[in-house]
């Protein structure tokens, strides 16, 4: 696709140039496979990967990592992986969760001349088989024997030539060629043959993301897409060789994967953890960096609040006093530093007054830091330089809390289709509530969703993005690609937002239907809504929950069915006269007691209906469960502007109309 030169491309500041100059230069690298020999040369004896929870423990230097990647690649070539010239190498499906062997397999596939299609081994078998078939993968790498057994009954119908287990379990004795990790490494020793050279347009990986029909779409990310991230993120943070980075995100998510690539390209030590061990690993390994989704920060905050509530009353009062004073301090400090979340900067007199007030509050804030906040920081090991938060917006109460206690959280924004980072906050311009400025070479513009006319600073509209990290398209789906990327290369993010005068991006919601929870999971609402609408008591339903822990729902009940149910329970629904049907009463029957829609029996009925219909839906996942819900009496219609002429829900209109109700559901 030809893209005209931009007149407003993001230009590097002097500070960003200096920060990038501190990082290793990979500008001449054409493929991901070229990184590892360079890393071996530059960081040879530095520890690259450390998994304290593996049995046995895994500890690899950069020299050992580069050798194992090449050895695994040689094993794949010996099994029959045949690279070919062109931008579309042979695909290998990689179904596994995060581990050192995942990285060795991922980069081994690429080094051997292939590209991988990745997903968690925990995903539903139908989804994995769909990815395997859609990607046209002829080879399969799985986490363990259990994953293979889950897929085995239908593999004979697919052109899979061989399978590799990332475990050392004994392969089954069958017609299908299966080898375990150690066997592949053994046959690959000394056998690696460099494939035809890749270039930046060559496919590196297929990442599958939710589509509007519920079927996942294959996002085609090239070597150039991912190398742009490696080369550009050094303007955001500048890790140095030997720094420790705790990895918690799954590497089949683009954020976790790109973060690992970036930290390893800088010579850092990746330490593997999980939710079970993360609190202990903070203290044991004292990381300098962490990349996580908002849910982790919610968990840390909730843990701190629980400890506060367990303190004696006098200590609780003292902590609350400190927090209130510190809140005033950071608000005044933000005004002084022009870090307020508003379209235009504050006037000089307002800034001066805020600076004076911040200075007056500083001694008490500093005292609180020594008495209280330092203990919170120590729970993260005490050496955390910066924490990167992606995969969803961070609630302002969390932004405030972590700024108060002195933990520097830099929020970024992006999508699977953008490799993923489009924007990020900088340590020297950490505008809380925003998603930061565009990274190097990236353009963002806000347009009217209907006319696509570019909007002015502070005006809310649709976010479009353009840059070297934007995907080549959806795999074998030109129609979806054309809808997502226009002729000039602008990618429709589906998000709504506005920009400040300093070019910070502030997101306000999603124009697309997909809901992103705080654990980073993408939920496609339509199939779940369709399942719930099967209930006789549900007339219409709209799922909500963007940047929340769980899904929620706005439900228009079927009042006729509900009133009949109420009668069977010897109740009468209390409804407006225009909506209520006369109760059907037997001769001599006493008047039934009234019940509101928020009464326990009614709420229990809808909870039961939602749980049954969601869990009975094909492809059910735990994240599909609906948490809070509200019953509303006004149907969604074309007359009130909440339905299109084709009777589709206008989600942004519904979200705006019921904003206070939705906020109350999750408060």
């Amino acid at each position: 696709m030809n893209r005209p030169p931009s007149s407003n491309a993001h230009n590097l500041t002097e500070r960003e140039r200096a920060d990038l100059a501190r990082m290793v230069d990979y500008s001449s690298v054409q493929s991901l496979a070229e990184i590892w020999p360079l890393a071996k040369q530059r960081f040879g004896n530095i520890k690259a990967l450390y998994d304290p929870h593996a049995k046995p423990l895994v500890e690899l230097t950069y020299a050992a990592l580069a050798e194992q990647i090449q050895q695994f690649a040689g094993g794949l070539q010996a099994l029959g992986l045949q690279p070919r010239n062109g931008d579309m190498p042979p695909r290998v499906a990689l179904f596994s969760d995060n581990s050192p062997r995942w990285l060795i397999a991922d980069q081994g596939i690429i080094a051997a001349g292939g590209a991988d299609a990745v997903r968690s081994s925990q995903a539903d078998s139908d989804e994995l088989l769909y990815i395997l078939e859609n990607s046209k993968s002829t080879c399969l790498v799985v986490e363990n024997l259990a994953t293979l057994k889950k897929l085995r009954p239908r593999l004979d119908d697919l052109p899979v030539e061989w399978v590799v287990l990332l475990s050392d379990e004994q392969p089954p004795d069958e017609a299908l060629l299966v080898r375990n990790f150690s066997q592949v490494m053994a046959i690959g020793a000394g056998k690696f043959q460099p494939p035809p050279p890749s270039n930046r347009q060559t496919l590196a990986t297929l990442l599958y993301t939710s589509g509007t029909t519920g079927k996942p779409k294959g996002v085609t990310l090239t070597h150039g897409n991912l190398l742009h991230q490696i080369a550009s993120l050094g303007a955001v943070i500048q890790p140095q060789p030997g720094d420790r980075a705790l990895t918690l995100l799954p590497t089949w998510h683009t954020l976790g994967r790109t973060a690992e690539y970036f930290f390893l390209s800088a010579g850092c030590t990746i330490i593997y953890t999980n939710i079970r061990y993360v609190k202990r690993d903070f203290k044991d390994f004292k990381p300098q960096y962490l990349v996580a989704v908002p849910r982790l920060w919610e968990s840390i905050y909730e843990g701190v609040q629980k400890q506060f509530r367990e303190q004696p009353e006098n200590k609780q009062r003292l902590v609350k006093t400190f927090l209130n004073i510190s809140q005033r301090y950071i608000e005044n400090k933000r005004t002084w530093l022009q870090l307020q979340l508003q379209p235009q900067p504050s006037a000089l007199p307002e800034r001066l007054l805020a600076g004076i007030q911040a200075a007056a509050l500083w001694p008490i804030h500093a005292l609180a830091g020594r008495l209280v906040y330092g203990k919170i920081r120590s729970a993260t090991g005490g050496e955390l330089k910066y924490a990167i938060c992606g995969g969803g917006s961070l609630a302002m109460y969390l932004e405030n809390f972590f700024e108060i206690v002195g933990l520097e959280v830099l929020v970024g924004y992006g999508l699977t289709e953008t490799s993923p980072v489009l924007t990020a906050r900088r340590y020297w311009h950490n505008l809380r509530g925003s998603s930061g400025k565009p990274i190097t070479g990236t353009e963002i513009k806000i347009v009217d969703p209907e006319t696509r006319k570019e909007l002015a600073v502070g005006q809310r509209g649709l976010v479009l993005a353009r840059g070297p990290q934007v995907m080549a398209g959806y795999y074998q789906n030109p129609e979806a690609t054309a809808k997502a990327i226009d002729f000039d290369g602008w990618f429709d993010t589906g998000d709504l937002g506005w920009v400040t005068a300093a070019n910070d991006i502030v997101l306000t919601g999603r124009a697309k239907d997909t809901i992103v929870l705080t654990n980073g999971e993408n939920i496609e609402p339509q199939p779940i809504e369709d399942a719930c609408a099967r209930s006789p008591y549900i007339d219409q339903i709209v799922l909500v929950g963007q940047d929340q822990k769980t899904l929620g729902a706005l439900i228009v009940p079927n009042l006729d069915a509900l009133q009949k149910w109420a009668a069977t329970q010897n109740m009468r629904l209390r409804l407006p006269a225009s909506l209520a049907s006369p109760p059907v009463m037997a001769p001599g029957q006493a008047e039934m007691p009234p019940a509101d829609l928020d009464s326990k029996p009614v709420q229990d009925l809808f909870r039961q209906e939602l749980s049954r219909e969601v869990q009975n839906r094909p492809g059910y996942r735990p994240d599909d469960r609906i948490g809070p819900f509200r019953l509303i009496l006004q149907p969604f219609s074309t007359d009130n502007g909440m339905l299109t002429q084709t009777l589709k829900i206008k989600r942004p209109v519904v979200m705006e109309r019921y904003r206070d109700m939705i906020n109350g559901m999750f408060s």
Side-chain angles (χ1 to χ4, degrees), residues 20-77:
L20 281 173
R22 296 167 56 191
M23 304 298 293
V24 178
D25 183 10
Y26 289 100
S27 59
S28 63
V29 168
Q30 294 299 302
S31 75
L32 292 168
E34 296 176 42
I35 289 177
W36 309 110
L38 293 174
K40 176 181 178 180
Q41 180 183 352
R42 291 163 173 160
F43 315 125
N45 291 324
I46 294 176
K47 193 183 300 179
L49 305 180
Y50 183 64
D51 188 349
H53 310 298
K55 295 180 181 179
L57 176 147
V58 176
E59 189 171 9
L60 294 174
T61 65
Y62 275 87
L65 175 60
E67 291 167 3
Q68 290 205 16
I69 288 172
Q70 193 172 95
Q71 194 170 340
F72 190 86
L76 298 186
Q77 290 174 339

Side-chain angles (χ1 to χ4, degrees), residues 586-609:
Q589 181 182 352
E591 185 174 351
M592 294 179 286
D596 295 318
L597 289 180
D598 60 357
S599 64
K600 187 176 186 304
V602 175
Q603 293 287 304
D604 286 348
L605 169 69
F606 279 90
R607 170 60 60 208
Q608 176 183 326
E609 293 293 301

Side-chain angles (χ1 to χ4, degrees), residues 317-328:
R317 286 194 296 271
L318 177 63
V319 170
K320 288 179 181 178
T321 300
F322 278 149
L323 288 172
N324 288 334
I325 292 172
S326 293
Q327 178 71 33
R328 291 164 51 202

Side-chain angles (χ1 to χ4, degrees), residues 130 132 155 308 334 425 465 477 542 546:
Y130 173 81
L132 183 59
L155 289 185
F308 284 167
R334 289 172 183 172
R425 299 191 327 217
N477 197 337
V542 172
Q546 177 67 29

Side-chain angles (χ1 to χ4, degrees), residues 422-475:
L422 289 169
T423 69
R425 299 191 327 217
R426 314 302 203 263
Y427 65 92
W428 43 267
H429 185 79
N430 194 357
L431 177 61
R432 270 75 179 189
S434 81
S435 295
K437 299 176 182 295
I439 65 171
T440 308
T442 304
E443 302 168 80
I444 298 288
K445 68 177 179 180
I446 310 298
V447 301
D448 182 281
E450 300 296 330
T451 66
R452 296 298 171 113
K453 180 182 178 182
E454 189 165 0
L455 301 176
V457 166
Q459 288 188 290
R460 179 175 177 267
L462 184 65
V463 181
L464 302 185
R466 182 166 67 176
Q469 70 273 61
V470 174
M471 66 172 181
Y474 294 112
Y475 182 63

